[in-house]
Amino acid sequence: MIHVRDVVRLRHIVAVLFEEGLGYYITKAKLQYHLPFHKQVLPVKPLNDTQRQAIALRKSFERLGPTFQKLGQLLSLRPDLVPVEYCAEFEKLQDHVPPFSFEDVKHIIEEDFQKPLRCIFPAFEQKPLASATIAQVHKAKLISGEIVAVKVQRPDIKDTIDADLDILFHLAEALEAHFPELRKYHPLAVVKEFALWTRKELDFELEGRNALRLQEELKENHQIIVPKIYTTHSSLRVLTMEYIEGIKMDNLAGLKRDKINSKKISLLYFTSILQQALLYGFFHADPHPANIYVTKQGKLVYFDFGIMGELPSSDRTKIIRFIRSIPERNADKSIDIIISLAQDTSQANIPAFKEETRPILREVYYNPVQKRSIGKALYQVMGIGAKYGIIFNANHVLMAKAVYQAEGLAMKLNPSFKVSEGLQEFSRQYLHQEYSPQKMLSRVKNILTSHQDFFIDFPEHIESILQKLEKPRAHEELDHVRIEYLQEELKHETRRQNIALIFAIIVTGSAFFWLVEGETTIMGIPVRLLLGILAGGIFIYAVFMHRENKQMEGEQWNKS
């Protein structure tokens, strides 16, 4: 049993859950002994309706403070861990809380930098621009005259969250022990993951590094702004960044007032999420409207880099394969690609998983192309995974949620937004980056490097052949059979080199056309398919010639 240090806080949490109608679950989890006696003997009934359960939990989280509000916000992103009704209800949790005092702000800054506030920020507005569960933001000025936004962590928030995490682990252990049907969702693992994400959010130095990394990735996209981070004016509890004015991206009246083209913004936003996740593999994992602003020039500004997702190249390739599999209308193929992303399928019921997820994909297949929501489909399919023992990495679900969220917000900005147009624009960006001259040269270099032994040994083979022709050993009789063999060996080495080079070119070209299937055809046959067949034919021919040469080598030397 996990030890709880703050028993008074545990009693308060159990009491709030009881008061919001969750007494049946408190009793079943054997936690009623933390309640006053008169509440322990009250009759309790289960909330059989999932929506009522979700509302009761949301109200409880609102009363219990920052840790539980953050837990609800994280769970709103994870339909693989909680029912979709919970996700929808937890999205209503507001990240707006009363600000803490300026005296506390001043004390934290001066304690972290060991200097008076005026020596760091000659001008500092006492009233915060915004206040949230973890921190609040103030406008200030540096000695250099630059205007900045200063994010200051709430006093003692780390101690509060650490104490609450102790209790959450205790509650999760009780759920696993007394609710067998919940074990497949791994409540303890959920709390462990939440603790990891929350502690990352509390590290403002890490958030600063995240912003710098995203800024570097998006530097070629001049329509996206990631604020400059002032590392010399930042610490574990203070983050100083460039001050940028703008309006929230979902403020339609504000966009109209500033004459900003919402259609362009919707496309820019959607493709920027795909660009981050699938081109670079490092993405903003919580891109809701409060974290994205639009400048008067129509540029997007990202804020809040505490929760970021990462995808390795192999996973990004699989997700792109999933997107490309949609036009084929082969549900099992698409689902198999998604399953290949799972981090644990040891307890999986894959046939049942496929049975439930096929209708989701069929809905995508048979909707008009402009109404297809690929992000929603990916998000829903992954969300069902835990129910059948298929556990996905948090980064995969966060990516799917980010894309789904981007689709929804893009449609809100522009009701005529077509996901297909966003995917087409992303494909253009993908081709531009992945098949740039630098990338193509890099691929050819890799192919040549993988055959380096052959190319290094090739001159020696030629030199050896020439030496045998020009300076035969005294005891060797260079008859016409041996000369024919040496000639054949020379031809074979030349042929091998040519085949290797042609094969490298064909494979690279085939990979390019693989991405634009349907756009380039010859007599109705995609060029990438013709190139693939040609590459395969060359490979088979090379294997055949290699075997034939080996046979010829044995025969010739036997004759000699």
Side-chain angles (χ1 to χ4, degrees):
M1 178 64 69
I2 294 171
H3 176 68
V4 175
R5 288 171 289 183
D6 193 341
V7 178
V8 174
R9 173 65 171 164
L10 172 60
R11 287 173 181 165
H12 173 67
I13 290 168
V14 172
V16 168
L17 293 170
F18 185 90
E19 290 164 10
E20 291 297 339
L22 298 166
Y24 169 81
Y25 308 98
I26 294 294
T27 302
K28 188 173 179 181
K30 309 298 182 187
L31 296 168
Q32 74 273 23
Y33 303 109
H34 296 291
L35 293 167
F37 179 75
H38 71 280
K39 290 185 177 179
Q40 292 182 30
V41 296
L42 289 174
V44 290
K45 293 181 179 180
L47 299 176
N48 295 320
D49 180 64
T50 308
Q51 186 62 44
R52 289 176 62 200
Q53 295 170 10
I55 292 171
L57 279 170
R58 191 256 302 161
K59 288 181 176 179
S60 300
F61 289 175
E62 286 175 341
R63 291 177 59 186
L64 290 171
T67 308
F68 287 83
Q69 289 174 21
K70 277 291 173 189
L71 174 62
Q73 288 165 1
L74 177 65
L75 290 176
S76 74
L77 303 173
R78 300 297 304 275
D80 57 320
L81 302 179
V82 294
V84 290
E85 293 88 352
Y86 285 32
C87 291
E89 194 64 32
F90 292 159
E91 284 178 354
K92 298 175 185 177
L93 285 166
Q94 298 298 307
D95 204 14
H96 302 292
V97 294
F100 54 96
S101 69
F102 174 69
E103 286 70 26
D104 283 332
V105 171
K106 183 172 180 288
H107 174 72
I108 289 170
I109 293 174
E110 291 182 344
E111 186 175 64
D112 277 19
F113 293 98
Q114 295 294 300
K115 290 180 182 179
L117 180 66
R118 66 180 181 276
C119 295
I120 309 166
F121 304 104
F124 196 99
E125 292 187 4
Q126 295 190 20
K127 184 179 178 181
L129 297 169
S131 178
T133 53
I134 296 291
Q136 63 190 37
V137 181
H138 292 259
K139 189 177 180 181
K141 182 188 286 186
L142 300 179
I143 294 173
S144 62
E146 294 168 278
I147 305 299
V148 294
V150 184
K151 184 176 178 179
V152 184
Q153 199 169 107
R154 285 186 170 272
D156 303 320
I157 187 68
K158 185 178 184 300
D159 293 338
T160 300
I161 287 177
D162 283 345
D164 281 351
L165 285 172
D166 257 2
I167 295 168
L168 281 171
F169 275 111
H170 177 71
L171 296 177
E173 187 178 54
L175 289 176
E176 287 201 3
H178 301 290
F179 292 84
E181 67 273 19
L182 294 181
R183 288 172 193 161
K184 61 187 175 184
Y185 294 102
H186 308 289
L188 277 169
V190 171
V191 175
K192 184 177 180 181
E193 181 184 310
F194 170 65
L196 178 65
W197 285 103
T198 304
R199 284 171 176 146
K200 283 182 178 180
E201 275 201 271
L202 291 171
D203 185 348
F204 285 2
E205 288 181 343
L206 174 62
E207 182 175 346
R209 292 194 296 273
N210 287 341
L212 291 170
R213 179 175 171 184
L214 190 64
Q215 190 179 68
E216 176 63 23
E217 285 182 352
L218 298 175
K219 65 183 179 182
E220 299 300 327
N221 190 336
H222 303 299
Q223 298 303 308
I224 304 290
I225 299 173
V226 176
K228 176 183 176 182
I229 301 297
Y230 295 85
T231 53
T232 54
H233 292 72
S234 300
S235 66
L236 277 172
R237 298 186 296 171
V238 179
L239 181 64
T240 302
M241 67 191 81
E242 175 186 6
Y243 176 79
I244 302 173
E245 290 188 343
I247 58 175
K248 286 186 180 180
M249 194 172 65
D250 63 345
N251 184 347
L252 301 181
L255 294 175
K256 188 175 181 180
R257 183 193 62 232
D258 290 345
K259 298 180 180 179
I260 295 170
N261 189 325
S262 59
K263 290 185 178 180
K264 287 185 178 179
I265 292 297
S266 64
L267 184 61
L268 176 62
Y269 168 60
F270 181 70
T271 55
S272 76
I273 294 298
L274 292 176
Q275 184 183 18
Q276 292 172 50
L278 301 181
L279 281 186
Y280 303 114
F282 184 70
F283 60 97
H284 199 299
D286 192 19
H288 61 75
N291 289 336
I292 308 171
Y293 280 59
V294 183
T295 69
K296 288 186 176 181
Q297 293 75 35
K299 297 183 178 183
L300 289 187
V301 186
Y302 280 93
F303 293 106
D304 197 350
F305 310 98
I307 300 180
M308 305 294 289
E310 289 193 68
L311 293 173
S313 177
S314 58
D315 287 355
R316 301 201 301 272
T317 300
K318 288 176 183 177
I319 293 163
I320 290 172
R321 280 178 56 212
F322 167 76
I323 293 172
R324 290 194 66 259
S325 73
I326 297 299
E328 299 177 23
R329 298 187 177 185
N330 183 336
D332 281 354
K333 178 179 178 180
S334 298
I335 295 168
D336 284 339
I337 294 170
I338 296 175
I339 292 173
S340 72
L341 287 165
Q343 66 179 19
D344 183 10
T345 57
S346 58
Q347 306 295 320
N349 184 346
I350 290 176
F353 175 70
K354 286 186 174 183
E355 189 67 27
E356 184 164 344
T357 53
R358 284 189 192 105
I360 296 172
L361 292 175
R362 291 191 186 116
E363 184 180 345
V364 177
Y365 298 157
Y366 298 107
N367 261 335
V369 68
Q370 63 270 24
K371 292 184 179 180
R372 288 179 184 170
S373 177
I374 293 175
K376 180 181 178 181
L378 185 60
Y379 183 56
Q380 288 179 326
V381 171
M382 286 186 172
I384 295 169
K387 180 179 177 182
Y388 296 102
I390 299 172
I391 308 303
F392 292 97
N393 184 289
N395 286 294
H396 298 145
V397 184
L398 289 173
M399 178 278 305
K401 172 68 173 180
V403 175
Y404 175 32
Q405 208 168 24
E407 289 177 350
L409 187 51
M411 289 176 183
K412 181 179 178 180
L413 290 168
N414 173 22
S416 62
F417 174 79
K418 297 177 182 177
V419 172
S420 58
E421 290 180 359
L423 291 173
Q424 194 173 36
E425 173 61 20
F426 169 72
S427 297
R428 187 192 63 77
Q429 294 176 4
Y430 185 86
L431 289 171
H432 178 73
Q433 174 168 311
E434 292 300 299
Y435 291 91
S436 64
Q438 294 86 350
K439 284 268 185 168
M440 297 292 277
L441 285 173
S442 176
R443 285 192 178 91
V444 172
K445 178 183 176 183
N446 290 337
I447 292 171
L448 295 178
T449 301
S450 66
H451 291 83
Q452 62 180 339
D453 290 342
F454 165 71
F455 289 111
I456 290 171
D457 294 342
F458 183 72
E460 293 182 10
H461 282 294
I462 299 300
E463 184 178 356
S464 173
I465 293 169
L466 293 174
Q467 285 178 352
K468 289 176 181 178
L469 288 171
E470 295 174 358
K471 298 178 181 179
R473 293 175 187 173
H475 65 277
E476 288 182 338
E477 181 184 349
L478 199 62
D479 57 23
H480 72 281
V481 174
R482 189 175 296 275
I483 291 174
E484 287 178 3
Y485 164 72
L486 293 174
Q487 287 174 337
E488 286 300 323
E489 187 177 346
L490 181 59
K491 287 179 183 178
H492 176 68
E493 291 295 343
T494 305
R495 190 184 299 119
R496 281 180 60 197
Q497 184 185 38
N498 291 339
I499 288 173
L501 288 171
I502 293 169
F503 189 72
I505 293 168
I506 293 292
V507 167
T508 306
S510 182
F512 174 81
F513 285 105
W514 178 78
L515 280 163
V516 290
E517 179 179 2
E519 296 180 15
T520 308
T521 61
I522 295 176
M523 297 179 67
I525 303 173
V527 171
R528 65 99 181 173
L529 180 60
L530 294 174
L531 286 172
I533 294 171
L534 182 58
I538 291 174
F539 177 76
I540 294 169
Y541 175 72
V543 171
F544 174 77
M545 291 304 298
H546 176 73
R547 289 181 177 177
E548 186 181 72
N549 184 73
K550 286 292 183 184
Q551 292 174 357
M552 182 196 72
E553 180 180 344
E555 292 171 1
Q556 294 284 11
W557 281 107
N558 286 336
K559 291 178 183 179
S560 62

